[in-house]
Protein backbone atom coordinates (compact mmCIF):
# COMPACT_ATOMS: atom_id res chain seq x y z
CA UNK A 1 0.00 0.00 0.00
CA UNK A 2 1.38 3.41 -0.92
CA UNK A 3 2.05 6.00 1.78
CA UNK A 4 -0.77 8.14 0.36
CA UNK A 5 -3.15 5.16 0.60
CA UNK A 6 -2.01 4.53 4.18
CA UNK A 7 -2.82 8.15 5.09
CA UNK A 8 -6.26 7.87 3.47
CA UNK A 9 -7.01 4.54 5.18
CA UNK A 10 -5.87 5.86 8.56
CA UNK A 11 -8.00 8.97 8.11
CA UNK A 12 -11.01 6.82 7.23
CA UNK A 13 -10.51 4.71 10.34
CA UNK A 14 -10.10 7.73 12.60
CA UNK A 15 -13.00 9.81 11.31
CA UNK A 16 -15.43 6.88 11.30
CA UNK A 17 -14.67 6.19 14.96
CA UNK A 18 -14.33 9.71 16.34
CA UNK A 19 -15.64 12.15 13.72
CA UNK A 20 -14.04 14.74 11.48
CA UNK A 21 -13.67 17.51 14.07
CA UNK A 22 -12.12 15.21 16.66
CA UNK A 23 -9.52 13.97 14.18
CA UNK A 24 -6.47 16.19 13.86
CA UNK A 25 -3.82 16.18 11.16
CA UNK A 26 -1.16 15.45 13.79
CA UNK A 27 -3.16 12.40 14.89
CA UNK A 28 -3.48 11.22 11.27
CA UNK A 29 0.29 11.56 10.85
CA UNK A 30 1.03 9.78 14.12
CA UNK A 31 -1.44 6.92 13.58
CA UNK A 32 -0.46 6.36 9.96
CA UNK A 33 3.24 6.12 10.77
CA UNK A 34 3.99 8.26 7.74
CA UNK A 35 6.50 11.08 8.08
CA UNK A 36 5.25 14.68 8.22
CA UNK A 37 7.02 15.60 5.01
CA UNK A 38 5.48 12.67 3.15
CA UNK A 39 1.97 13.61 4.26
CA UNK A 40 2.54 17.23 3.25
CA UNK A 41 3.94 16.06 -0.09
CA UNK A 42 0.53 14.52 -0.89
CA UNK A 43 -1.84 16.83 1.02
CA UNK A 44 -1.77 20.49 2.08
CA UNK A 45 -3.99 19.95 5.12
CA UNK A 46 -6.62 17.73 6.75
CA UNK A 47 -9.38 19.20 4.59
CA UNK A 48 -7.56 18.08 1.45
CA UNK A 49 -7.29 14.54 2.86
CA UNK A 50 -11.01 14.52 3.68
CA UNK A 51 -11.83 15.84 0.20
CA UNK A 52 -9.83 13.13 -1.53
CA UNK A 53 -11.27 10.46 0.74
CA UNK A 54 -14.81 11.68 0.13
CA UNK A 55 -14.37 11.78 -3.64
CA UNK A 56 -12.65 8.38 -3.68
CA UNK A 57 -15.42 6.68 -1.69
CA UNK A 58 -18.18 8.42 -3.61
CA UNK A 59 -16.65 7.21 -6.85
CA UNK A 60 -16.47 3.71 -5.36
CA UNK A 61 -20.18 3.79 -4.49
CA UNK A 62 -21.18 4.91 -7.97
CA UNK A 63 -18.96 2.33 -9.67
CA UNK A 64 -19.98 -0.56 -7.43
CA UNK A 65 -23.70 0.07 -7.76
CA UNK A 66 -23.59 -0.09 -11.56
CA UNK A 67 -21.29 -3.12 -11.81
CA UNK A 68 -22.67 -5.93 -14.03
CA UNK A 69 -25.91 -4.13 -14.82
CA UNK A 70 -26.85 -5.16 -18.31
CA UNK A 71 -29.02 -2.75 -20.27
CA UNK A 72 -32.61 -3.74 -20.90
CA UNK A 73 -34.54 -5.36 -18.08
CA UNK A 74 -35.04 -2.61 -15.52
CA UNK A 75 -36.07 -4.94 -12.72
CA UNK A 76 -33.03 -7.17 -13.19
CA UNK A 77 -30.80 -4.08 -13.23
CA UNK A 78 -32.49 -2.78 -10.08
CA UNK A 79 -31.92 -6.08 -8.28
CA UNK A 80 -28.27 -6.18 -9.35
CA UNK A 81 -27.71 -2.56 -8.27
CA UNK A 82 -29.37 -3.25 -4.92
CA UNK A 83 -27.32 -6.38 -4.23
CA UNK A 84 -24.10 -4.69 -5.38
CA UNK A 85 -24.54 -1.90 -2.86
CA UNK A 86 -25.66 -4.26 -0.09
CA UNK A 87 -22.60 -6.51 -0.48
CA UNK A 88 -20.26 -3.55 -0.82
CA UNK A 89 -21.45 -2.10 2.49
CA UNK A 90 -21.44 -5.46 4.28
CA UNK A 91 -17.91 -6.20 3.07
CA UNK A 92 -16.64 -2.65 3.68
CA UNK A 93 -17.96 -1.58 7.09
CA UNK A 94 -15.81 1.56 7.23
CA UNK A 95 -17.21 2.71 3.89
CA UNK A 96 -20.69 2.06 5.28
CA UNK A 97 -20.05 4.11 8.41
CA UNK A 98 -18.46 6.84 6.30
CA UNK A 99 -21.49 7.00 3.99
CA UNK A 100 -23.89 7.20 6.91
CA UNK A 101 -22.09 9.42 9.40
CA UNK A 102 -19.56 11.46 7.48
CA UNK A 103 -20.76 11.84 3.89
CA UNK A 104 -24.13 13.19 4.98
CA UNK A 105 -22.82 15.42 7.73
CA UNK A 106 -22.73 19.22 7.56
CA UNK A 107 -18.96 18.93 8.01
CA UNK A 108 -18.74 18.03 4.31
CA UNK A 109 -19.29 21.26 2.34
CA UNK A 110 -22.14 21.31 -0.16
CA UNK A 111 -19.70 22.32 -2.88
CA UNK A 112 -17.86 19.01 -2.38
CA UNK A 113 -21.12 17.06 -2.41
CA UNK A 114 -22.06 18.81 -5.65
CA UNK A 115 -18.67 17.98 -7.14
CA UNK A 116 -19.13 14.30 -6.28
CA UNK A 117 -22.56 14.05 -7.96
CA UNK A 118 -20.83 13.15 -11.23
CA UNK A 119 -20.08 9.71 -9.79
CA UNK A 120 -23.79 8.99 -9.59
CA UNK A 121 -24.51 9.97 -13.20
CA UNK A 122 -25.06 6.37 -14.35
CA UNK A 123 -27.48 5.77 -11.49
CA UNK A 124 -29.33 8.97 -12.31
CA UNK A 125 -29.43 7.97 -15.99
CA UNK A 126 -30.88 4.58 -15.05
CA UNK A 127 -33.78 6.25 -13.20
CA UNK A 128 -34.18 8.95 -15.86
CA UNK A 129 -34.40 6.31 -18.60
CA UNK A 130 -36.85 4.30 -16.53
CA UNK A 131 -39.09 7.36 -16.24
CA UNK A 132 -38.76 8.05 -19.96
CA UNK A 133 -39.65 4.42 -20.77
CA UNK A 134 -42.63 4.64 -18.40
CA UNK A 135 -41.27 1.90 -16.14
CA UNK A 136 -40.86 4.22 -13.16
CA UNK A 137 -43.13 6.82 -11.68
CA UNK A 138 -42.17 10.34 -12.67
CA UNK A 139 -40.29 11.42 -9.55
CA UNK A 140 -37.25 13.59 -9.03
CA UNK A 141 -34.26 11.36 -9.81
CA UNK A 142 -32.24 12.62 -6.85
CA UNK A 143 -35.10 11.63 -4.54
CA UNK A 144 -35.23 8.25 -6.24
CA UNK A 145 -31.48 7.74 -5.78
CA UNK A 146 -31.65 8.68 -2.10
CA UNK A 147 -34.59 6.34 -1.48
CA UNK A 148 -32.81 3.54 -3.32
CA UNK A 149 -29.69 4.01 -1.16
CA UNK A 150 -31.85 4.37 1.95
CA UNK A 151 -33.58 1.05 1.34
CA UNK A 152 -30.27 -0.75 1.05
CA UNK A 153 -28.85 1.05 4.09
CA UNK A 154 -31.82 -0.01 6.22
CA UNK A 155 -31.24 -3.67 5.45
CA UNK A 156 -27.48 -3.35 6.01
CA UNK A 157 -28.25 -1.86 9.44
CA UNK A 158 -30.42 -4.84 10.29
CA UNK A 159 -27.63 -7.12 9.14
CA UNK A 160 -24.92 -5.25 11.08
CA UNK A 161 -26.64 -3.90 14.17
CA UNK A 162 -29.07 -6.65 14.92
CA UNK A 163 -26.61 -9.40 14.06
CA UNK A 164 -29.41 -11.07 12.14
CA UNK A 165 -28.42 -13.56 9.51
CA UNK A 166 -30.46 -12.43 6.59
CA UNK A 167 -31.33 -15.18 4.19
CA UNK A 168 -31.46 -14.71 0.43
CA UNK A 169 -35.27 -14.69 0.58
CA UNK A 170 -35.17 -11.70 2.97
CA UNK A 171 -32.94 -9.77 0.62
CA UNK A 172 -35.22 -10.61 -2.31
CA UNK A 173 -38.23 -9.43 -0.28
CA UNK A 174 -36.45 -6.15 0.46
CA UNK A 175 -35.60 -5.68 -3.22
CA UNK A 176 -39.20 -6.38 -4.21
CA UNK A 177 -40.59 -3.91 -1.67
CA UNK A 178 -38.12 -1.28 -2.82
CA UNK A 179 -38.85 -1.95 -6.50
CA UNK A 180 -42.59 -1.53 -5.98
CA UNK A 181 -42.01 1.96 -4.61
CA UNK A 182 -40.48 3.07 -7.91
CA UNK A 183 -42.33 1.16 -10.58
CA UNK A 184 -45.48 2.40 -12.29
CA UNK A 185 -48.48 0.22 -11.70
Amino acid sequence: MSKKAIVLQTTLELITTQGINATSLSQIIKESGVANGTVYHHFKNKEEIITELYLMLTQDFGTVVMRNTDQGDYKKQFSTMWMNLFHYFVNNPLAFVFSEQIARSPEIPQSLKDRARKYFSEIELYFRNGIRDKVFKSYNTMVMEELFFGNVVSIVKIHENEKVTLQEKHLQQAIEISWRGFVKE
Side-chain angles (χ1 to χ4, degrees):
M1 187 181 296
S2 73
K3 299 216 186 266
K4 183 177 182 178
I6 291 169
V7 170
L8 290 167
Q9 181 64 31
T10 301
T11 304
L12 177 62
E13 291 168 5
L14 289 170
I15 66 173
T16 54
T17 56
Q18 61 192 35
I20 291 176
N21 289 332
T23 302
S24 67
L25 184 56
S26 61
Q27 184 183 23
I28 293 168
I29 292 168
K30 179 182 175 195
E31 295 291 324
S32 69
V34 175
N36 285 5
T38 304
V39 172
Y40 285 110
H41 171 73
H42 294 291
F43 306 102
K44 292 178 187 167
N45 52 38
K46 180 179 93 170
E47 289 71 28
E48 200 171 277
I49 299 171
I50 301 294
T51 295
E52 183 152 341
L53 186 61
Y54 180 85
L55 291 173
M56 182 183 74
L57 288 172
T58 304
Q59 184 176 19
D60 257 9
F61 300 152
T63 301
V64 165
V65 169
M66 297 310 291
R67 188 173 292 141
N68 300 321
T69 55
D70 300 325
Q71 298 297 322
D73 183 343
Y74 281 99
K75 189 170 185 179
K76 183 178 177 187
Q77 283 181 284
F78 187 90
S79 181
T80 300
M81 291 164 60
W82 202 101
M83 290 298 286
N84 285 346
L85 189 60
F86 175 81
H87 288 296
Y88 176 77
F89 281 149
V90 166
N91 294 322
N92 297 282
L94 289 178
F96 179 66
V97 171
F98 180 87
S99 75
E100 279 299 282
Q101 293 178 3
I102 309 302
R104 302 193 184 283
S105 82
E107 295 167 323
I108 300 294
Q110 188 59 47
S111 60
L112 180 55
K113 292 176 185 178
D114 293 342
R115 213 170 117 197
R117 286 282 314 143
K118 67 183 176 187
Y119 298 123
F120 297 125
S121 62
E122 283 187 65
I123 301 166
E124 180 184 2
L125 184 61
Y126 166 79
F127 285 114
R128 192 173 304 289
N129 288 342
I131 292 167
R132 179 201 65 212
D133 294 344
K134 300 189 184 328
V135 173
F136 296 132
K137 298 170 187 167
S138 185
Y139 293 147
N140 177 289
T141 55
M142 187 176 281
V143 171
M144 294 173 84
E145 291 170 45
E146 286 297 322
L147 290 173
F148 170 81
F149 279 95
N151 287 323
V152 176
V153 164
S154 294
I155 300 303
V156 172
K157 285 180 179 179
I158 290 172
H159 174 79
E160 295 297 315
N161 297 335
E162 305 298 327
K163 303 298 181 202
V164 172
T165 303
L166 294 171
Q167 297 172 7
E168 182 66 25
K169 71 178 182 179
H170 299 128
L171 298 177
Q172 292 306 316
Q173 289 169 351
I175 292 168
E176 183 65 26
I177 291 166
S178 183
W179 168 256
R180 288 183 186 179
F182 294 99
V183 73
K184 274 187 143 182
E185 296 177 14

